[in-house]
Amino acid sequence: MTQEWHYRLCSVHLVDAHHCTDPSKYISCTLISLSTMLHLEMPHVNFLSKCDLIEQYGKLKFSLQFYTEVVDMRDLVPFLGDEKDPFTEKHKALSESIAEVVEDFRLVSFSPLSVVEKESMKNALSLIDKAIGYVRMPQERNAVLNMISRDSGLDTEAVEYFQSKYTNFSNAERDEKDISANK
């Protein structure tokens, strides 16, 4: 049907941003995203939805950029649950292994999304168009080719905007945690 009617399909995966406040849920969400990407075998875009509500569920352990880029997920392992909880201790190695698998594939990344932000919705549409290779007009062809040539589909300006507007995480905290993680 898609070839007959010349449809272009894209899988869009929405993950509630509040999962970033709980490391175990975030690791699970990244695994689900990776699994979906591998099983559907079609263009795929991941979004952290409801970014405007992100800190209503708790403070982030790292900057929003950490959660959108999905790198160094092993840094979340020390924040998994209560250390005295036998369940946490028993499954800490499993969570670390899952984080390692997701990192090794290097396929998962997220873009922030909020329906109350018009620019955020435009960015989402642009990312989906880019994923399926859709160009609206011939003049836009160069712009799309420039977007495709980027290393990642992440819009760092959008991440920084959501970081400053909706989180209390400062650049100083991010730099401090980055330094301590590298030790």
Side-chain angles (χ1 to χ4, degrees), residues 88-114:
T88 301
E89 282 302 313
K90 183 177 178 182
H91 293 94
K92 193 174 256 189
L94 175 63
S95 296
E96 191 168 3
S97 297
I98 290 171
E100 189 175 326
V101 166
V102 172
E103 277 184 30
D104 288 346
F105 272 93
R106 295 200 184 273
L107 291 174
V108 180
S109 63
F110 294 96
S111 185
L113 180 67
S114 171

Side-chain angles (χ1 to χ4, degrees), residues 62-76:
F62 298 96
S63 69
L64 186 59
Q65 186 175 8
F66 174 88
Y67 298 100
T68 58
E69 291 179 355
V70 189
V71 293
D72 300 327
M73 287 180 52
R74 286 182 225 110
D75 293 346
L76 288 172

Side-chain angles (χ1 to χ4, degrees), residues 19-176:
H19 292 303
C20 295
T21 60
D22 183 350
S24 58
K25 287 181 184 177
Y26 176 74
I27 290 171
S28 298
C29 288
T30 58
L31 181 62
I32 291 169
S33 293
L34 177 63
S35 178
T36 303
M37 292 170 79
L38 295 175
H39 283 84
L40 290 181
E41 297 180 356
M42 64 183 345
H44 190 95
V45 182
N46 295 307
F47 291 104
L48 284 176
S49 64
K50 302 178 187 173
C51 276
D52 53 316
L53 306 174
I54 195 165
E55 285 199 338
Q56 288 185 358
Y57 297 96
K59 187 151 175 60
L60 296 176
K61 307 289 187 235
F62 298 96
S63 69
L64 186 59
Q65 186 175 8
F66 174 88
Y67 298 100
T68 58
E69 291 179 355
V70 189
V71 293
D72 300 327
M73 287 180 52
R74 286 182 225 110
D75 293 346
L76 288 172
V77 174
F79 299 105
L80 292 173
D82 183 14
E83 289 185 20
K84 296 175 183 164
D85 181 22
F87 182 83
T88 301
E89 282 302 313
K90 183 177 178 182
H91 293 94
K92 193 174 256 189
L94 175 63
S95 296
E96 191 168 3
S97 297
I98 290 171
E100 189 175 326
V101 166
V102 172
E103 277 184 30
D104 288 346
F105 272 93
R106 295 200 184 273
L107 291 174
V108 180
S109 63
F110 294 96
S111 185
L113 180 67
S114 171
V115 295
V116 297
E117 299 284 340
K118 187 175 182 178
E119 286 303 313
S120 174
M121 297 303 289
K122 284 182 181 180
N123 183 49
L125 182 58
S126 174
L127 288 173
I128 294 167
D129 285 349
K130 175 183 159 186
I132 62 172
Y134 178 73
V135 179
R136 289 185 178 83
M137 295 181 291
Q139 302 94 306
E140 293 181 351
R141 190 175 317 269
N142 288 338
V144 171
L145 290 175
N146 287 337
M147 283 187 348
I148 291 172
S149 67
R150 288 185 193 168
D151 291 339
S152 70
L154 298 175
D155 183 2
T156 54
E157 290 176 9
V159 172
E160 289 172 5
Y161 171 77
F162 279 98
Q163 173 88 21
S164 65
K165 185 167 183 179
Y166 295 112
T167 69
N168 291 324
F169 200 91
S170 69
N171 287 335
E173 285 178 284
R174 182 192 70 217
D175 295 341
E176 183 179 306

